Amino acid sequence: MADTGKTAYKRVMLKISGEALMGNTAFGLHPPTVQRIAKEVKTVHDMGVEICMVIGGGNIFRGLQGSAQGMERTTADYMGMLATVMNALAMQSALEELNIHTRVISAITMNEVAEPYIRRRAVRHLEKKRVCIFAAGTGNPYFTTDTAATLRANEMNCEAIFKGTKVDGVYDKDPAKHADAKRYDRVSYDEVLQKHLGVMDASAIALARDNHLPIVVFSLDEPGGFRGILAGTGTSTVVHD
């Protein structure tokens, strides 16, 4: 249990997309949106929960799209990794404005702006109640930030991955397009893979399944949603064994 006794989780991974930082803009970062998400993280940090984060880079550059437009895939993926570092630094700045000690830890060495990934050091930061933002994916092309989040969550011994999205859980089809879309309260990893439910990419789901790591899908757009789910209220879908 966390120190406050208000949540069943002591250490969690929050995975959000780069697009979540765009707000209503078409590209890049929307500072008020970054600040709003940072405040959501603070409410959970104040509960005594240790927090890891992975933020995608799709608001700045997405490697797969660059590759589709004729760019060499490996180069495009490295550019996408650099985009995640930019997002991580923006979130670090917003969190530190709220007096939360935060470390950006990059899988690609760039000592002037981020720490290199050293597992034991990262664990120590968490034990000291610092938020750790893992940037640059796994440091390898062909792997998404979903996979990076699942990998780091396992390495950090997180008890769950919280996937912040625009909807309040996992649906059998897009609820924005289909009024009869059905929301799952709980769904298995295998069902997510078989039905292509789009929670995370297949590699991330398989890695979570093999290590019995639950994935909690919730709406990041709902004020208080992150804290609410941890406190046992609110709406979400749990992907589990």
Side-chain angles (χ1 to χ4, degrees):
M1 294 292 289
D3 297 338
T4 61
K6 293 180 181 178
T7 171
Y9 297 108
K10 182 178 184 294
R11 181 179 296 170
V12 301
M13 166 66 73
L14 174 62
K15 168 62 172 72
I16 61 177
S17 67
E19 287 88 348
L21 306 185
M22 292 195 310
N24 293 323
T25 63
F27 176 82
L29 290 157
H30 182 237
T33 298
V34 177
Q35 292 160 7
R36 177 183 65 79
I37 294 173
K39 289 175 182 176
E40 293 283 328
V41 173
K42 182 181 187 301
T43 64
V44 172
H45 184 267
D46 290 346
M47 297 170 75
V49 178
E50 297 169 4
I51 303 170
C52 306
M53 293 182 70
V54 168
I55 307 172
N59 57 318
I60 299 171
F61 188 88
R62 186 179 294 279
L64 206 54
Q65 291 177 352
S67 176
Q69 294 172 12
M71 186 177 292
E72 195 272 323
R73 173 65 189 269
T74 301
T75 299
D77 278 356
Y78 278 120
M79 290 174 68
M81 291 178 215
L82 296 178
T84 71
V85 177
M86 296 171 69
N87 286 338
L89 292 172
M91 184 57 66
Q92 178 186 42
S93 176
L95 287 168
E96 290 185 340
E97 284 288 322
L98 300 173
N99 297 313
I100 298 175
H101 295 293
T102 307
R103 296 291 185 271
V104 174
I105 301 171
S106 173
I108 298 174
T109 304
M110 47 183 76
N111 292 332
E112 287 75 14
V113 297
E115 291 185 7
Y117 175 68
I118 300 171
R119 180 184 172 276
R120 287 178 180 270
R121 182 187 292 178
V123 169
R124 187 67 180 134
H125 286 321
L126 292 171
E127 290 170 350
K128 291 182 177 180
K129 305 304 179 184
R130 297 165 181 162
V131 173
C132 289
I133 307 177
F134 296 102
T138 66
N140 301 288
Y142 296 95
F143 289 92
T144 67
T145 51
D146 280 347
T147 303
T150 311
L151 173 65
R152 297 292 184 238
N154 280 303
E155 290 179 303
M156 295 297 106
N157 295 317
C158 291
E159 295 164 357
I161 298 174
F162 280 71
K163 176 75 182 286
T165 69
K166 292 186 177 296
V167 293
D168 59 356
V170 179
Y171 287 78
D172 60 351
K173 47 192 167 185
D174 188 347
K177 298 177 181 177
H178 303 277
D180 62 342
K182 170 193 169 186
R183 189 183 64 81
Y184 297 91
D185 286 325
R186 303 179 74 85
V187 63
S188 71
Y189 304 109
D190 288 338
E191 198 170 358
V192 168
L193 292 172
Q194 291 164 6
K195 295 184 177 180
H196 305 286
L197 294 178
V199 176
M200 288 180 161
D201 68 75
S203 297
I205 294 293
L207 184 58
R209 178 191 60 194
D210 292 348
N211 291 279
H212 311 289
L213 181 67
I215 303 166
V216 182
V217 183
F218 71 104
S219 173
L220 196 65
D221 290 342
E222 182 178 340
F226 187 23
R227 185 186 189 284
I229 301 302
L230 275 156
T233 61
T235 304
S236 66
T237 299
V238 180
V239 182
H240 64 114
D241 287 316

